[in-house]
Each structure stands twice: as structure tokens, then as C-alpha cells.
Amino acid sequence: MERITDVSKLVYTHIQGGQFRWVTVSTLMLALGTILHLVSPSVGGVTPNWTIATYCVAILLTRPNYKQTLGIGLVAALINVLTSKSGFPYGNLLSEPGGTVACAFVMRLMMGLKIEKIGKLDIMPFVTGFIATCVSGGIFVTILWQVLGLANNIYINAMLPLVVIIGLVNGVVTPLLYFPAKRLFAKRGFLPSSGEITSDHSNYIIEPSQEGKISVEHVNYTYSKATEPSLKDINLVVHEGDFLVITGPAGCGKSTLCMAMVGAVPKFYGGRLEGMVFVDGKATTQMDIPELATHIGVVLADYDTQLVTMTVKEEVAFAMENRGYDRDTIETRCKEVFKQVGLEGMEEQKITSLSGGQRQRLAIASVLATNPTVLVLDEPTSSLDPDGTAELYRLVGALNKEHGITVVVIDHDLHAVLPYANRMALMVDGELRCDADVTTTLRYMYDNGIYLEALPTVFTAYMDLEKAGHTFGEPWLSIESARAGLAKGGVAVSETAQPASNVAFASATAQDVVTVGGGTHA
């Protein structure tokens, strides 16, 4: 085991689809081959063997080992047994695995001899398509010759030459499939670029330099095929009991940071990660996403996609059943989380009958059911009205204060969440510009003119007053704190929505009305 002393130099690359991308690519290509086989017309009694052409493309793109290659061949054989019209279709059970192994062998041989290209032209699709077809077809017609007792002259003068002809045809159609497929799968991030592989950190000892529920250390992250990193040297520690709000302009990388915390970056999205993210002291690259889910619960902006059952109780129970909880534990935890999120008495209701806010609560309940110690919410209010937003953050604030759950919220609408937060981080262009208490980060945004449209109006009014020489105690993060500050400053505050002519407001700022969340307060 090698101990890593400087995580800033640690790199983890992951190709989307991971170690099973060969399954995804070969499945899609064989499906295409089956369709082409069923609809392709015959010309002069000759038609391309689309199954061989498509599995050659899959092997060239994903470069599976021989065991995996044999698996592709067996699947291709089963498809041909079901769709072939030959006199003895079961011959495919030997011929197709033979063809896939021949393709993989030739591919490795050409790569080893560095003859896979002539100039800039990749000739491997032609060569492998031709040889794999000759090997597979040769095995098949030989079996057919023996099983059906065909004459030797038919086998030698007709069947074998036909195999070579179809091999030449496949040598043409395989490149026609290969190059478009390569562009398509590369664009989707399923194919490695030169020298790029999925990393293995299992033999490393990786420890955080700082204690915390989540520790993000020297993290740079670049999505597959992206030219610029989405995260740039991020250092952030989330301590137990924190209520951290991360904000920033659209596209600044805050959701990417959220996905890095829960392990989806890079293990789901693929790409290149430099540095490390630790959860409860463990490196995320050394944990599977299901294991991370026992530490961190995540609620996405599109929370409806997380709801998969029919009723409220089934949804919460489903999360625990997947982790092997016994029936008694499931019943107990269901009661506990329904009480926590305020869904008591609604257990048997259909999910489709719930309001948006109730479905949001249900998504949180299903996450809480497995007892995570950290709750991450990625723009949770994107589809909620102001009342639903306020209610959601009252719930999340209670989970933080009363149940000790550490909370990380990614949001751009700060009015409702800030009264519950003890920390706030600002991201701009993939960088963490400020990480401090809420007031300090808001001041940083105001003083530097960064993302001013996200600042609560009441806080902006306070800063305008302060800038004009008037102070009213603690900065205002809500209407209530504004009223209290004005009262301490000897300014009468109307309880109605009617503006009052107030010297302090009139001299300090051009406005004498502060509007927040639809209410006007003088």
C-alpha cells in the first residue's frame, strides 16, 4: 500500500460507463446489427453479415479482454440462433465466439506491431471485419458441411468462396459503421482518449489533511471531452452540524461541486479529477456510490425523478428495502421520518396526488430513511413557489438544528435559506471566491459587485444605508432583523405596507421603501 502525502498531485480519471462500458457499446451495436440483418436486402445472393460487422466495431471501440470478448460472441451467437434462417442455426454458438476472438486477436496484434494505420487512415476496421468474417463464416460452413452431409465440391467450390466474398463485403461495411460510431460514443464520453484509462486507487492510503464531514482538497475537475475545468483548485471543509449555502452565477460549477461531494463526479459523469474529496475521512474514489449514499443523502433539483413508487409509504420503504433493512426496522424508520418531514397521516396517499412541496418532502424523507449524516440539496426550490420555498427551508432548518443533520444547500435564491445558514460560500467561474460566515460572504459579494442580483433586497438596503453613513447594528438578513435594527436605531417602522417619510431612509438611499418577498416595509 502506497501512502499519498500530497493529494494535490493525485489524479483520478474515469470513462463514462466505467468498467462495463464494453457491455453498453456492444449491446447497442449488436442491436443495430440485428435490425440491419432483418431489413438488409440481398444482392446477387450476398448480403453483409451485420452481426459480425457490429461486434467488430464494439471490440475496436472498447478493447475488451478475451473473457469479455467471448461474452460478446456468445450474445451475438444467441441473437443469430433466434434470427437465422440457415439449416443449422446452432452452428452460430461456435462460429460467433470464434469470430469475436479472432477480431480481438488481430486488433491486439496490429496494435503491438503498430500497423493499425496507413498514414492517417485507420485500417483496423477493414482488416478485422474481413478476418473475423472469414473465421466465423469458415467455422459455420464447416459445421454445416459436416452436419448436413454436403458434398465436398460444394463446400470447397461454393461455400468457402462465398465466405471470402462476404468477408470482403464486411471489410467495407465495418469501417462505414466504425467511424460514425466512434464519433458518437466519443462525444458521449464513453471512449477513452489516447492513454486515458479508469483509475484504481484501491492500493493507496489517502487521508484528509483536515477533519470534517466533507473535506474537498485541491480539487480540479474536467468533464469528459471538455476543454476547460469546471472546478479549479477547490478547498472546502464542511464540519459536523454546519448549514452551508453554496451560491454563484449559473454555470459557475456549484452543481458540479455538489456531485463531487456525493461521488457522482467523476464516477458517474466521467472525466478527470485532480485532488480529492473525503466523506467522513474516506476518499470518494475508494468508495462506491451506494456506499457514499449511506453517508450523504442528496435531493436533486428535479426531485420527481427520485420518486419511483406509487404511494408515500412505499417510496420511503423502497429506499430501505434496497439496503436490506428488516421489516420491523422499516416500519420504525418510516414513522420517524414521516414525523420529521411532516407527512404523518399521508402514508397511503398516491404520490401523484401530492403537491410539489409535499413531493419535495417525500424525496427528503426517502433520503433520510437510511440515516445519512449529511443532506445535500441541489437547487431544491427551482420548482417551488415562495410559500413552498419558505416551508421547505423551515423543514431543512429544523432537521439541522433539532436532529443534528449537516446540511449543504446549492441555491441562487438566498432570501429564504439564509436565516437558517451558519456559513456561505461563493463560486465564480469554477473557483471558490469566498467561504465564510453568511454576513462576510454577502459583504464580499456587495463590495466586489459579484452576483448582486442574488443578494436579498433587505441586505442590499442595509449596505446602502451603511455606505451612506447610517448604521443599525447587525446586518439585515430578513425583514424581522431589519425591523429590529431600525427600532434600535430609533427609527419608527410601520407595520403596514404604506411607506413613511423617514429622514434616515431618504438621506441614506434613493429609496424609502424596502421590498422583500412581495411585502413592502418602510
Side-chain angles (χ1 to χ4, degrees):
M1 300 286 281
E2 179 185 352
R3 184 177 295 276
I4 303 299
T5 57
D6 185 0
V7 298
S8 66
K9 294 182 171 61
L10 196 60
V11 176
Y12 186 93
T13 58
H14 184 75
I15 307 305
Q16 197 169 21
Q19 60 179 320
F20 298 112
R21 61 184 179 275
W22 65 275
V23 176
T24 303
V25 174
S26 60
T27 299
L28 291 172
M29 291 309 301
L30 285 173
L32 175 62
T34 302
I35 294 170
L36 292 173
H37 169 72
L38 295 173
V39 302
S40 179
S42 154
V43 179
V46 176
T47 183
N49 190 313
W50 294 107
T51 300
I52 296 177
T54 52
Y55 68 56
C56 283
V57 171
I59 291 169
L60 292 176
L61 291 177
T62 60
R63 301 174 186 177
N65 59 39
Y66 281 114
K67 185 177 179 180
Q68 294 165 343
T69 298
L70 192 59
I72 295 172
L74 289 173
V75 173
L78 291 173
I79 292 173
N80 276 352
V81 166
L82 296 173
T83 60
S84 176
K85 298 178 181 179
S86 70
F88 189 72
Y90 298 104
N92 290 290
L93 295 174
L94 291 178
S95 66
E96 299 303 356
T100 56
V101 171
C103 175
F105 175 78
V106 172
M107 174 188 71
R108 283 173 168 76
L109 180 63
M110 295 181 69
M111 291 173 61
L113 297 175
K114 300 187 184 301
I115 56 173
E116 63 263 37
K117 290 185 178 182
I118 296 179
K120 294 184 178 181
L121 178 63
D122 190 346
I123 62 171
M124 279 207 300
F126 170 80
V127 176
T128 55
F130 172 72
I131 293 179
T133 304
C134 289
V135 170
S136 177
I139 293 173
F140 184 80
V141 298
T142 300
I143 293 173
L144 206 61
W145 168 50
Q146 291 295 318
V147 170
L148 299 182
L150 300 175
N152 291 346
N153 64 330
I154 294 177
Y155 172 66
I156 296 172
N157 298 322
M159 298 174 76
L160 289 180
L162 183 61
V163 168
V164 175
I165 292 171
I166 296 176
L168 291 171
V169 173
N170 266 22
V172 174
V173 301
T174 302
L176 296 179
L177 295 173
Y178 173 77
F179 293 110
K182 184 178 180 179
R183 287 194 294 270
L184 174 63
F185 286 114
K187 186 177 181 180
R188 297 293 299 168
F190 275 86
L191 303 180
S193 58
S194 178
E196 187 179 21
I197 59 172
T198 294
S199 304
D200 181 7
H201 283 180
S202 60
N203 292 322
Y204 293 155
I205 298 174
I206 313 172
E207 297 175 338
S209 61
Q210 302 182 72
E211 292 186 3
K213 298 297 292 182
I214 302 173
S215 180
V216 183
E217 301 185 10
H218 303 288
V219 164
N220 295 273
Y221 171 70
T222 306
Y223 283 100
S224 297
K225 306 305 172 184
T227 56
E228 293 291 330
S230 296
L231 300 177
K232 304 171 185 176
D233 196 26
I234 301 294
N235 289 276
L236 177 71
V237 178
V238 181
H239 300 286
E240 185 169 3
D242 270 351
F243 192 126
L244 170 65
V245 175
I246 302 175
T247 194
C252 69
K254 53 185 184 292
S255 289
T256 302
L257 178 58
C258 166
M259 292 297 103
M261 290 180 179
V262 301
V265 160
K267 286 199 167 184
F268 177 77
Y269 292 97
R272 176 186 174 91
L273 178 75
E274 300 173 17
M276 188 50 60
V277 180
F278 298 91
V279 175
D280 282 332
K282 297 181 181 179
T284 57
T285 60
Q286 295 180 322
M287 304 168 72
D288 292 330
I289 292 178
E291 182 185 357
L292 277 163
T294 64
H295 297 265
I296 300 183
V298 59
V299 179
L300 303 174
D302 186 8
Y303 51 84
D304 277 330
T305 61
Q306 294 182 247
L307 306 177
V308 296
T309 63
M310 296 292 291
T311 68
V312 170
K313 187 174 182 179
E314 287 174 348
E315 184 65 36
V316 176
F318 180 73
M320 291 182 281
E321 288 168 353
N322 280 342
R323 289 172 172 79
Y325 284 48
D326 60 70
R327 185 178 296 276
D328 291 340
T329 302
I330 290 175
E331 287 292 331
T332 302
R333 282 298 296 154
C334 280
K335 292 178 182 178
E336 290 173 356
V337 296
F338 287 140
K339 184 176 181 180
Q340 285 178 327
V341 303
L343 291 178
E344 289 177 294
M346 304 179 68
E347 292 85 349
E348 302 305 322
Q349 283 198 33
K350 290 187 180 297
I351 293 176
T352 52
S353 70
L354 302 179
S355 67
Q358 289 170 334
R359 293 198 302 275
Q360 178 76 281
R361 286 170 172 265
L362 179 57
I364 294 174
S366 65
V367 166
L368 294 177
T370 55
N371 279 313
T373 55
V374 181
L375 181 62
V376 176
L377 300 101
D378 185 14
E379 300 197 20
T381 62
S382 58
S383 58
L384 298 179
D385 59 25
D387 289 339
T389 296
E391 186 62 28
L392 170 69
Y393 281 130
R394 277 194 290 271
L395 166 63
V396 176
L399 292 173
N400 174 247
K401 295 296 183 185
E402 299 171 15
H403 299 279
I405 295 176
T406 303
V407 175
V408 178
V409 173
I410 315 295
D411 212 340
H412 56 84
D413 185 358
L414 304 177
H415 293 81
V417 67
L418 289 186
Y420 304 98
N422 70 314
R423 286 178 59 197
M424 182 176 169
L426 171 68
M427 291 191 66
V428 179
D429 295 332
E431 300 176 353
L432 190 63
R433 293 289 180 86
C434 186
D435 171 24
D437 61 82
V438 172
T439 300
T440 299
T441 302
L442 290 175
R443 281 185 179 275
Y444 179 89
M445 294 168 66
Y446 180 90
D447 292 339
N448 291 278
I450 299 175
Y451 201 32
L452 296 179
E453 61 269 27
L455 292 176
T457 313
V458 69
F459 178 81
T460 303
Y462 175 88
M463 294 300 294
D464 288 342
L465 289 167
E466 185 179 79
K467 190 175 181 180
H470 301 269
T471 57
F472 296 92
E474 292 294 321
W476 304 337
L477 301 181
S478 64
I479 286 295
E480 292 71 26
S481 61
R483 289 184 179 280
L486 289 169
K488 287 182 180 179
V491 179
V493 183
S494 171
E495 292 294 335
T496 70
Q498 299 300 319
S501 56
N502 184 279
V503 175
F505 272 87
S507 62
T509 182
Q511 65 184 40
D512 54 32
V513 178
V514 179
T515 305
V516 178
T520 304
H521 302 267

